Each structure stands twice: as C-alpha cells, then as structure tokens.
Amino acid sequence: NAGVTQTPKFQVLKTGQSMTLQCAQDMNHNSMYWYRQDPGMGLRLIYYSASEGTTDKGEVPNGYNVSRLNKREFSLRLESAAPSQTSVYFCASTLNQRGYTFGSGTRLTVV
Amino acid sequence: GIQVEQSPPDLILQEGANSTLRCNFSDSVNNLQWFHQNPWGQLINLFYIPSGTKQNGRLSATTVATERYSLLYISSSQTTDSGVYFCAVMRRDDKIIFGKGTRLHILP
C-alpha cells in the first residue's frame, strides 16, 4: 500500500547508544518531516527536508541529525541517546503542503 | 514564533452529541490543517483549510484567517471519533507547528 513506512516500530536503547530511525515514502512527495510526540506536548518538529538534498532544523533539533538520502528516504539519527529522547517519533511527507501523510510511529525508550 | 492554542484540552460527550473544537493562532498563516490521532496513535489528515469552510460527512471546518481562529465541528458523534484532534499551521519559514490538541472521548 502507498504511504509512509517507518522502522523500527519499537526500540529500547541504553543511554549513550546510537541508532537511526528510517522513513520511506512511495508517493513521490517532495517534503519530509520528523516529529516527536510527548505527553501533553503535541507534535514538535525536529527536522524537515523541503526537497531532496536539503534539510533544515525545526523546533527541537538538538541531539539529532538527519539525512535525506534520496527523494523517498529521510532518516533520523541519534548519536548518543539520552533519557530525554524517550518519545514517539513520527515521520510525515507532503507533496504541496496541503495534505500530510504520517507514518505509524516509532516508540523509543532510552534507559 | 507563532503560537497555536487549542481548546478545550479535553472533552467528554455521549454518542450522538455535537461538538466544536477551537484553534487560535497568533500570526497570519497561509496554511492551516486539522488532524485526528486515533487511540492507536495513527494520524490522519482531516482538512486543509487556510480560509473558508469545508465539509466532509459529519465533520466540517471553518477558518476565519483575519481573526486568527479555526473551528472543527463534529456532528452526531460516534465512538470512532474518539482520539486527539490537532490543529497545525505553517509559519512563513514553511515549518508546520502543531497545537497541543483536544482529547475527545465519545461514550457509548
């Protein structure tokens, strides 16, 4: 089915470990986004990519890096995980900013 | 930066009731959207509505851009309407900012 695919769905990390969250879309969308969702905080933008080859910081970029590998894929990397990064992470994409498709989320716990 | 405030934060209704959710924003925007997050965490785009009124079945939305607010109406609520409703606006730098949401509980 067409849409946004995120992997993994669940992950537990120890403090200081690194990992990469993967996101891929097959709708030929130009823009892709990474959000984190914490209880009572809504969704906060971490990084976004308006087009292939470009990335920009969102509201809460510290502790994260991103790569727009090609038009389909946008990955989020945690170099040294901290307990404050325990959250649910969502990837989203859009063609023209008028309708967004979200992935099913990655639930990350850092202990 | 632009602020997005949603009200009420929580709403509990009986099945069949109508509801109005509000989104206020602090600056002019050229993009406003409503999303529904179901109890399983899935986020669905409901409306792209920078101005005017749109309807989709039992849901409708109105944005009055000059007064910086948007309303989401849900009529004849069903239990499947439960979840969190988010308003999101696009800033001038093309970043999408979400409100904190309204959590809706529809009781059978």
Side-chain angles (χ1 to χ4, degrees):
Chain A
N1 291 336
V4 177
T5 303
Q6 288 184 237
T7 55
K9 294 190 183 304
F10 301 94
Q11 184 71 50
V12 179
L13 291 178
K14 293 182 179 179
T15 297
Q17 286 185 316
S18 62
M19 78 161 294
T20 300
L21 281 64
Q22 306 287 353
C23 175
Q25 53 89 11
D26 57 5
M27 298 169 286
N28 204 36
H29 284 176
N30 295 320
S31 302
M32 299 184 73
Y33 303 79
W34 276 105
Y35 288 90
R36 60 178 288 173
Q37 184 175 28
D38 302 297
M41 297 293 292
L43 282 83
R44 292 183 292 170
L45 181 64
I46 306 172
Y47 270 94
Y48 74 104
S49 171
S51 62
E52 184 179 355
T54 67
T55 61
D56 204 352
K57 295 179 179 179
E59 301 170 87
V60 288
N62 291 344
Y64 305 95
N65 285 302
V66 291
S67 295
R68 183 74 182 267
L69 304 171
N70 47 55
K71 192 170 187 178
R72 291 185 64 247
E73 298 172 288
F74 188 37
S75 62
L76 178 72
R77 182 159 178 85
L78 287 71
E79 291 291 351
S80 179
S84 61
Q85 295 178 303
T86 293
S87 188
V88 181
Y89 291 84
F90 287 97
C91 177
S93 71
T94 184
L95 177 63
N96 55 10
Q97 315 295 348
R98 294 190 175 192
Y100 285 77
T101 302
F102 279 83
S104 58
T106 296
R107 187 172 296 274
L108 175 67
T109 301
V110 183
V111 298
Chain B
I2 191 170
Q3 303 296 317
V4 181
E5 295 183 358
Q6 292 187 242
S7 60
D10 292 279
L11 189 57
I12 301 174
L13 297 172
Q14 277 308 129
E15 196 169 27
N18 301 328
S19 59
T20 301
L21 284 57
R22 187 177 179 101
C23 172
N24 292 332
F25 43 96
S26 61
D27 201 353
S28 60
V29 298
N30 56 9
N31 185 326
L32 186 143
Q33 305 191 41
W34 284 96
F35 295 85
H36 176 223
Q37 187 171 36
N38 66 23
W40 296 270
Q42 185 180 9
L43 281 152
I44 303 296
N45 203 172
L46 297 175
F47 292 105
Y48 164 76
I49 186 161
S51 63
T53 297
K54 289 187 178 180
Q55 182 159 3
N56 184 2
R58 296 180 296 102
L59 273 63
S60 64
T62 295
T63 297
V64 183
T66 53
E67 298 186 23
R68 299 180 184 169
Y69 73 89
S70 183
L71 302 173
L72 179 69
Y73 304 96
I74 305 173
S75 64
S76 304
S77 299
Q78 301 176 358
T79 55
T80 52
D81 295 329
S82 294
V84 183
Y85 289 81
F86 291 103
C87 166
V89 302
M90 178 180 280
R91 304 183 334 189
R92 292 196 182 100
D93 58 3
D94 291 342
K95 295 176 183 175
I96 298 284
I97 303 300
F98 282 74
K100 294 184 178 181
T102 292
R103 185 174 297 275
L104 178 64
H105 302 268
I106 304 297
L107 304 175

